[in-house]
Amino acid sequence: MIRIAIIIGSTRPGRKAEAVAKWVYEIVDIKDFNLPLLDEPLSPIMGQYTHQHTKTWSAKIASFDAYVFVTPEYNHATSGALKNAIDFLYNEWVNKAAGFVGYGGAGGARAVEQLRLVMAEVQIATVRNQALLSLFTDFENFSVFKPAPQQEKSVNAMLDQVIAWGSALKTLREKQK
Ligand SMILES: Cc1cc2nc3c(=O)[nH]c(=O)nc-3n(C[C@H](O)[C@H](O)[C@H](O)COP(=O)(O)O)c2cc1C
């Protein structure tokens, strides 16, 4: 059995993220961790955290083998909140797997592409399949989440890859111990 976290990448009041994330699976909501802008004196790669909020976030992220990032698109990127939450940690992410569910006016495609570059630096392997939800076709009146039927297929294909890669990397991490 591998543990997969669905990470909500938006903290905005009135955000669409919750409805999208709940559709996928059980969730880790970065809003619940009350992370300020990165306030640790040492680089996260040292793993020497001084603040309780970092230690709590670290323990939560370390407990998973794979992640699905649910990201809005803000100005052709992911949200500052999600980037900041990723930046807080390092070794907790290494040799894990991730998939993406993006949403926005253009389906969140640019946010997901940008996140893939960030993932490369924290040594997370990202899967090809992804779900991209459009405000025009997957939300009624641009607000109520009503995903088009084919989106379920996209999510399932992505999850299959996350499970496969997450399991393979779990084996690798166990061999490295
Ligand atoms: C600051 C900001 C910037 C945005 N920039 C883009 C963008 O570059 N491309 C896009 O397709 N949608 C953009 N949008 C639309 C958002 O993707 C859309 O409002 C989405 O619902 C935001 O996620 P949230 O409701 O979870 O906060 C932007 C929205 C905000 C608030």
Side-chain angles (χ1 to χ4, degrees):
M1 213 320 253
I2 66 160
R3 280 172 50 75
I4 301 178
I6 312 298
I7 301 182
I8 292 192
S10 163
T11 53
R12 189 182 65 83
R15 64 190 179 171
K16 295 188 175 62
E18 257 176 287
V20 176
K22 278 182 184 152
W23 173 66
V24 182
Y25 215 58
E26 226 185 280
I27 51 183
V28 171
D29 192 343
I30 54 176
K31 199 160 173 264
D32 294 340
F33 292 82
N34 291 318
L35 294 170
L37 286 176
L38 181 58
D39 61 350
E40 286 291 342
L42 290 178
S43 166
I45 211 159
M46 311 295 286
Q48 291 172 31
Y49 305 129
T50 58
H51 298 294
Q52 190 52 49
H53 53 250
T54 316
K55 291 175 188 170
T56 306
W57 177 235
S58 162
K60 174 58 80 179
I61 291 306
S63 74
F64 294 100
D65 302 300
Y67 313 93
V68 173
F69 290 93
V70 175
T71 179
E73 180 166 309
Y74 291 165
N75 297 320
H76 291 201
T78 190
S79 68
L82 178 56
K83 177 62 166 56
N84 183 57
I86 293 167
D87 291 345
F88 259 95
L89 309 177
Y90 190 80
N91 291 301
E92 296 82 347
W93 301 118
V94 172
N95 286 335
K96 307 275 180 79
F100 304 97
V101 177
Y103 61 97
R110 294 165 295 214
V112 169
E113 287 303 301
Q114 195 237 23
L115 256 182
R116 287 180 185 279
L117 295 175
V118 176
M119 298 285 104
E121 181 54 19
V122 296
Q123 301 188 58
I124 286 182
T126 62
V127 304
R128 175 183 182 270
N129 283 59
Q130 57 195 14
L132 298 176
L133 301 159
S134 162
L135 294 187
F136 292 90
T137 53
D138 297 302
F139 292 82
E140 206 171 75
N141 299 323
F142 299 94
S143 58
V144 181
F145 184 46
K146 291 253 170 80
Q150 76 273 11
Q151 296 292 9
E152 207 171 304
K153 225 169 131 187
S154 305
V155 168
N156 287 338
M158 178 271 292
L159 287 174
D160 283 347
Q161 292 185 329
V162 170
I163 291 165
W165 289 38
S167 305
L169 286 164
K170 185 180 183 188
T171 306
L172 175 80
R173 291 197 314 279
E174 280 162 3
K175 277 188 186 154
Q176 286 174 338
K177 274 182 194 163

